[in-house]
PDB file of all heavy atoms in Angstrom:
ATOM      1  N   SER A 503      16.931  57.101-271.215  1.00  0.00           N
ATOM      2  CA  SER A 503      16.497  58.304-271.931  1.00  0.00           C
ATOM      3  C   SER A 503      15.531  57.964-273.074  1.00  0.00           C
ATOM      4  O   SER A 503      14.567  58.671-273.316  1.00  0.00           O
ATOM      5  CB  SER A 503      17.715  59.045-272.476  1.00  0.00           C
ATOM      6  OG  SER A 503      18.464  58.154-273.280  1.00  0.00           O
ATOM      7  N   SER A 504      15.796  56.824-273.724  1.00  0.00           N
ATOM      8  CA  SER A 504      14.937  56.486-274.857  1.00  0.00           C
ATOM      9  C   SER A 504      13.593  55.951-274.388  1.00  0.00           C
ATOM     10  O   SER A 504      12.622  55.940-275.136  1.00  0.00           O
ATOM     11  CB  SER A 504      15.629  55.443-275.736  1.00  0.00           C
ATOM     12  OG  SER A 504      15.758  54.245-275.004  1.00  0.00           O
ATOM     13  N   LEU A 505      13.552  55.501-273.164  1.00  0.00           N
ATOM     14  CA  LEU A 505      12.331  54.874-272.683  1.00  0.00           C
ATOM     15  C   LEU A 505      11.423  55.845-271.955  1.00  0.00           C
ATOM     16  O   LEU A 505      10.307  55.505-271.604  1.00  0.00           O
ATOM     17  CB  LEU A 505      12.671  53.735-271.728  1.00  0.00           C
ATOM     18  CG  LEU A 505      13.303  52.509-272.361  1.00  0.00           C
ATOM     19  CD1 LEU A 505      13.932  51.664-271.294  1.00  0.00           C
ATOM     20  CD2 LEU A 505      12.262  51.719-273.119  1.00  0.00           C
ATOM     21  N   GLN A 506      11.956  57.029-271.709  1.00  0.00           N
ATOM     22  CA  GLN A 506      11.286  57.928-270.788  1.00  0.00           C
ATOM     23  C   GLN A 506       9.849  58.224-271.200  1.00  0.00           C
ATOM     24  O   GLN A 506       8.963  58.265-270.363  1.00  0.00           O
ATOM     25  CB  GLN A 506      12.077  59.237-270.686  1.00  0.00           C
ATOM     26  CG  GLN A 506      11.934  59.922-269.363  1.00  0.00           C
ATOM     27  CD  GLN A 506      12.515  59.113-268.218  1.00  0.00           C
ATOM     28  OE1 GLN A 506      12.040  58.046-267.872  1.00  0.00           O
ATOM     29  NE2 GLN A 506      13.566  59.629-267.614  1.00  0.00           N
ATOM     30  N   GLU A 507       9.639  58.379-272.524  1.00  0.00           N
ATOM     31  CA  GLU A 507       8.327  58.891-272.924  1.00  0.00           C
ATOM     32  C   GLU A 507       7.232  57.830-272.859  1.00  0.00           C
ATOM     33  O   GLU A 507       6.227  58.000-272.194  1.00  0.00           O
ATOM     34  CB  GLU A 507       8.409  59.519-274.333  1.00  0.00           C
ATOM     35  CG  GLU A 507       9.032  58.654-275.404  1.00  0.00           C
ATOM     36  CD  GLU A 507      10.545  58.859-275.464  1.00  0.00           C
ATOM     37  OE1 GLU A 507      11.100  59.494-274.548  1.00  0.00           O
ATOM     38  OE2 GLU A 507      11.150  58.380-276.415  1.00  0.00           O
ATOM     39  N   GLU A 508       7.440  56.663-273.512  1.00  0.00           N
ATOM     40  CA  GLU A 508       6.308  55.742-273.606  1.00  0.00           C
ATOM     41  C   GLU A 508       6.337  54.731-272.459  1.00  0.00           C
ATOM     42  O   GLU A 508       7.392  54.421-271.920  1.00  0.00           O
ATOM     43  CB  GLU A 508       6.288  55.026-274.974  1.00  0.00           C
ATOM     44  CG  GLU A 508       7.161  53.815-275.093  1.00  0.00           C
ATOM     45  CD  GLU A 508       8.556  54.151-275.586  1.00  0.00           C
ATOM     46  OE1 GLU A 508       8.976  55.322-275.427  1.00  0.00           O
ATOM     47  OE2 GLU A 508       9.204  53.261-276.097  1.00  0.00           O
ATOM     48  N   PHE A 509       5.158  54.218-272.184  1.00  0.00           N
ATOM     49  CA  PHE A 509       5.031  53.212-271.138  1.00  0.00           C
ATOM     50  C   PHE A 509       5.249  51.844-271.750  1.00  0.00           C
ATOM     51  O   PHE A 509       4.690  51.520-272.782  1.00  0.00           O
ATOM     52  CB  PHE A 509       3.626  53.310-270.522  1.00  0.00           C
ATOM     53  CG  PHE A 509       3.359  52.234-269.516  1.00  0.00           C
ATOM     54  CD1 PHE A 509       3.831  52.346-268.217  1.00  0.00           C
ATOM     55  CD2 PHE A 509       2.644  51.098-269.874  1.00  0.00           C
ATOM     56  CE1 PHE A 509       3.590  51.348-267.300  1.00  0.00           C
ATOM     57  CE2 PHE A 509       2.401  50.104-268.956  1.00  0.00           C
ATOM     58  CZ  PHE A 509       2.870  50.233-267.672  1.00  0.00           C
ATOM     59  N   SER A 510       6.079  51.086-271.122  1.00  0.00           N
ATOM     60  CA  SER A 510       6.371  49.770-271.677  1.00  0.00           C
ATOM     61  C   SER A 510       5.577  48.719-270.929  1.00  0.00           C
ATOM     62  O   SER A 510       5.434  48.790-269.708  1.00  0.00           O
ATOM     63  CB  SER A 510       7.860  49.489-271.549  1.00  0.00           C
ATOM     64  OG  SER A 510       8.088  48.126-271.775  1.00  0.00           O
ATOM     65  N   PRO A 511       5.042  47.756-271.647  1.00  0.00           N
ATOM     66  CA  PRO A 511       4.312  46.690-270.943  1.00  0.00           C
ATOM     67  C   PRO A 511       5.231  45.762-270.168  1.00  0.00           C
ATOM     68  O   PRO A 511       4.777  45.003-269.335  1.00  0.00           O
ATOM     69  CB  PRO A 511       3.603  45.947-272.069  1.00  0.00           C
ATOM     70  CG  PRO A 511       4.431  46.209-273.278  1.00  0.00           C
ATOM     71  CD  PRO A 511       5.019  47.570-273.098  1.00  0.00           C
ATOM     72  N   LEU A 512       6.496  45.791-270.485  1.00  0.00           N
ATOM     73  CA  LEU A 512       7.434  44.910-269.797  1.00  0.00           C
ATOM     74  C   LEU A 512       7.909  45.575-268.526  1.00  0.00           C
ATOM     75  O   LEU A 512       8.026  46.790-268.449  1.00  0.00           O
ATOM     76  CB  LEU A 512       8.628  44.622-270.702  1.00  0.00           C
ATOM     77  CG  LEU A 512       8.260  44.081-272.067  1.00  0.00           C
ATOM     78  CD1 LEU A 512       9.458  44.046-272.956  1.00  0.00           C
ATOM     79  CD2 LEU A 512       7.666  42.705-271.930  1.00  0.00           C
ATOM     80  N   TRP A 513       8.198  44.757-267.557  1.00  0.00           N
ATOM     81  CA  TRP A 513       8.527  45.345-266.258  1.00  0.00           C
ATOM     82  C   TRP A 513       9.938  45.879-266.205  1.00  0.00           C
ATOM     83  O   TRP A 513      10.206  46.864-265.554  1.00  0.00           O
ATOM     84  CB  TRP A 513       8.318  44.329-265.141  1.00  0.00           C
ATOM     85  CG  TRP A 513       9.415  43.332-265.013  1.00  0.00           C
ATOM     86  CD1 TRP A 513       9.576  42.228-265.770  1.00  0.00           C
ATOM     87  CD2 TRP A 513      10.495  43.356-264.100  1.00  0.00           C
ATOM     88  NE1 TRP A 513      10.693  41.558-265.391  1.00  0.00           N
ATOM     89  CE2 TRP A 513      11.279  42.230-264.354  1.00  0.00           C
ATOM     90  CE3 TRP A 513      10.887  44.229-263.073  1.00  0.00           C
ATOM     91  CZ2 TRP A 513      12.426  41.935-263.641  1.00  0.00           C
ATOM     92  CZ3 TRP A 513      12.027  43.921-262.360  1.00  0.00           C
ATOM     93  CH2 TRP A 513      12.789  42.791-262.643  1.00  0.00           C
ATOM     94  N   TRP A 514      10.846  45.276-266.935  1.00  0.00           N
ATOM     95  CA  TRP A 514      12.249  45.634-266.764  1.00  0.00           C
ATOM     96  C   TRP A 514      12.556  47.052-267.255  1.00  0.00           C
ATOM     97  O   TRP A 514      13.182  47.828-266.520  1.00  0.00           O
ATOM     98  CB  TRP A 514      13.114  44.570-267.422  1.00  0.00           C
ATOM     99  CG  TRP A 514      14.580  44.803-267.281  1.00  0.00           C
ATOM    100  CD1 TRP A 514      15.462  44.967-268.293  1.00  0.00           C
ATOM    101  CD2 TRP A 514      15.338  44.911-266.070  1.00  0.00           C
ATOM    102  NE1 TRP A 514      16.710  45.154-267.809  1.00  0.00           N
ATOM    103  CE2 TRP A 514      16.676  45.132-266.435  1.00  0.00           C
ATOM    104  CE3 TRP A 514      15.019  44.864-264.718  1.00  0.00           C
ATOM    105  CZ2 TRP A 514      17.689  45.290-265.506  1.00  0.00           C
ATOM    106  CZ3 TRP A 514      16.029  45.015-263.794  1.00  0.00           C
ATOM    107  CH2 TRP A 514      17.351  45.226-264.186  1.00  0.00           C
ATOM    108  N   PRO A 515      12.084  47.436-268.456  1.00  0.00           N
ATOM    109  CA  PRO A 515      12.321  48.834-268.867  1.00  0.00           C
ATOM    110  C   PRO A 515      11.685  49.829-267.894  1.00  0.00           C
ATOM    111  O   PRO A 515      12.284  50.863-267.581  1.00  0.00           O
ATOM    112  CB  PRO A 515      11.681  48.914-270.236  1.00  0.00           C
ATOM    113  CG  PRO A 515      11.652  47.535-270.736  1.00  0.00           C
ATOM    114  CD  PRO A 515      11.490  46.669-269.551  1.00  0.00           C
ATOM    115  N   GLU A 516      10.508  49.480-267.415  1.00  0.00           N
ATOM    116  CA  GLU A 516       9.855  50.356-266.440  1.00  0.00           C
ATOM    117  C   GLU A 516      10.698  50.462-265.162  1.00  0.00           C
ATOM    118  O   GLU A 516      10.870  51.528-264.584  1.00  0.00           O
ATOM    119  CB  GLU A 516       8.480  49.787-266.074  1.00  0.00           C
ATOM    120  CG  GLU A 516       7.395  50.059-267.087  1.00  0.00           C
ATOM    121  CD  GLU A 516       7.171  51.541-267.275  1.00  0.00           C
ATOM    122  OE1 GLU A 516       6.920  52.221-266.256  1.00  0.00           O
ATOM    123  OE2 GLU A 516       7.272  52.010-268.419  1.00  0.00           O
ATOM    124  N   HIS A 517      11.189  49.314-264.807  1.00  0.00           N
ATOM    125  CA  HIS A 517      11.965  49.193-263.586  1.00  0.00           C
ATOM    126  C   HIS A 517      13.257  50.003-263.688  1.00  0.00           C
ATOM    127  O   HIS A 517      13.725  50.589-262.717  1.00  0.00           O
ATOM    128  CB  HIS A 517      12.264  47.710-263.410  1.00  0.00           C
ATOM    129  CG  HIS A 517      12.966  47.356-262.166  1.00  0.00           C
ATOM    130  ND1 HIS A 517      12.339  47.307-260.959  1.00  0.00           N
ATOM    131  CD2 HIS A 517      14.257  47.028-261.928  1.00  0.00           C
ATOM    132  CE1 HIS A 517      13.211  46.956-260.037  1.00  0.00           C
ATOM    133  NE2 HIS A 517      14.383  46.784-260.590  1.00  0.00           N
ATOM    134  N   CYS A 518      13.788  50.062-264.902  1.00  0.00           N
ATOM    135  CA  CYS A 518      15.064  50.748-265.112  1.00  0.00           C
ATOM    136  C   CYS A 518      14.937  52.254-264.911  1.00  0.00           C
ATOM    137  O   CYS A 518      15.943  52.948-264.750  1.00  0.00           O
ATOM    138  CB  CYS A 518      15.583  50.485-266.520  1.00  0.00           C
ATOM    139  SG  CYS A 518      16.243  48.848-266.703  1.00  0.00           S
ATOM    140  N   LYS A 519      13.731  52.762-264.984  1.00  0.00           N
ATOM    141  CA  LYS A 519      13.572  54.213-264.874  1.00  0.00           C
ATOM    142  C   LYS A 519      13.876  54.702-263.464  1.00  0.00           C
ATOM    143  O   LYS A 519      14.226  55.852-263.266  1.00  0.00           O
ATOM    144  CB  LYS A 519      12.150  54.608-265.250  1.00  0.00           C
ATOM    145  CG  LYS A 519      11.878  54.472-266.736  1.00  0.00           C
ATOM    146  CD  LYS A 519      10.433  54.782-267.052  1.00  0.00           C
ATOM    147  CE  LYS A 519      10.140  54.456-268.496  1.00  0.00           C
ATOM    148  NZ  LYS A 519       8.708  54.446-268.750  1.00  0.00           N
ATOM    149  N   ASP A 520      13.709  53.814-262.520  1.00  0.00           N
ATOM    150  CA  ASP A 520      13.920  54.223-261.134  1.00  0.00           C
ATOM    151  C   ASP A 520      15.395  54.087-260.764  1.00  0.00           C
ATOM    152  O   ASP A 520      15.973  53.005-260.895  1.00  0.00           O
ATOM    153  CB  ASP A 520      13.041  53.343-260.231  1.00  0.00           C
ATOM    154  CG  ASP A 520      12.966  53.918-258.832  1.00  0.00           C
ATOM    155  OD1 ASP A 520      13.772  54.824-258.530  1.00  0.00           O
ATOM    156  OD2 ASP A 520      12.102  53.460-258.060  1.00  0.00           O
ATOM    157  N   GLN A 521      15.964  55.177-260.316  1.00  0.00           N
ATOM    158  CA  GLN A 521      17.407  55.163-260.055  1.00  0.00           C
ATOM    159  C   GLN A 521      17.776  54.272-258.865  1.00  0.00           C
ATOM    160  O   GLN A 521      18.791  53.579-258.888  1.00  0.00           O
ATOM    161  CB  GLN A 521      17.898  56.597-259.813  1.00  0.00           C
ATOM    162  CG  GLN A 521      19.407  56.735-259.882  1.00  0.00           C
ATOM    163  CD  GLN A 521      19.987  56.126-261.165  1.00  0.00           C
ATOM    164  OE1 GLN A 521      19.471  56.332-262.246  1.00  0.00           O
ATOM    165  NE2 GLN A 521      21.057  55.356-261.022  1.00  0.00           N
ATOM    166  N   SER A 522      16.894  54.244-257.847  1.00  0.00           N
ATOM    167  CA  SER A 522      17.232  53.445-256.659  1.00  0.00           C
ATOM    168  C   SER A 522      17.252  51.964-257.008  1.00  0.00           C
ATOM    169  O   SER A 522      18.084  51.195-256.510  1.00  0.00           O
ATOM    170  CB  SER A 522      16.225  53.714-255.544  1.00  0.00           C
ATOM    171  OG  SER A 522      14.947  53.281-255.955  1.00  0.00           O
ATOM    172  N   ASN A 523      16.320  51.583-257.890  1.00  0.00           N
ATOM    173  CA  ASN A 523      16.313  50.194-258.333  1.00  0.00           C
ATOM    174  C   ASN A 523      17.617  49.851-259.022  1.00  0.00           C
ATOM    175  O   ASN A 523      18.172  48.766-258.851  1.00  0.00           O
ATOM    176  CB  ASN A 523      15.168  49.960-259.313  1.00  0.00           C
ATOM    177  CG  ASN A 523      13.843  49.898-258.603  1.00  0.00           C
ATOM    178  OD1 ASN A 523      13.812  49.704-257.389  1.00  0.00           O
ATOM    179  ND2 ASN A 523      12.779  50.082-259.335  1.00  0.00           N
ATOM    180  N   MET A 524      18.072  50.820-259.823  1.00  0.00           N
ATOM    181  CA  MET A 524      19.284  50.567-260.595  1.00  0.00           C
ATOM    182  C   MET A 524      20.506  50.452-259.688  1.00  0.00           C
ATOM    183  O   MET A 524      21.412  49.682-259.956  1.00  0.00           O
ATOM    184  CB  MET A 524      19.490  51.675-261.617  1.00  0.00           C
ATOM    185  CG  MET A 524      18.642  51.509-262.841  1.00  0.00           C
ATOM    186  SD  MET A 524      18.863  49.907-263.620  1.00  0.00           S
ATOM    187  CE  MET A 524      17.517  48.969-262.983  1.00  0.00           C
TER     188      MET A 524
END
Side-chain angles (χ1 to χ4, degrees):
Chain A
S503 56
S504 66
L505 290 164
Q506 209 65 294
E507 52 271 11
E508 84 270 23
F509 175 81
S510 166
L512 306 171
W513 78 280
W514 182 240
E516 281 299 305
H517 184 76
C518 285
K519 288 176 188 167
D520 193 347
Q521 195 51 45
S522 64
N523 285 342
M524 280 305 97

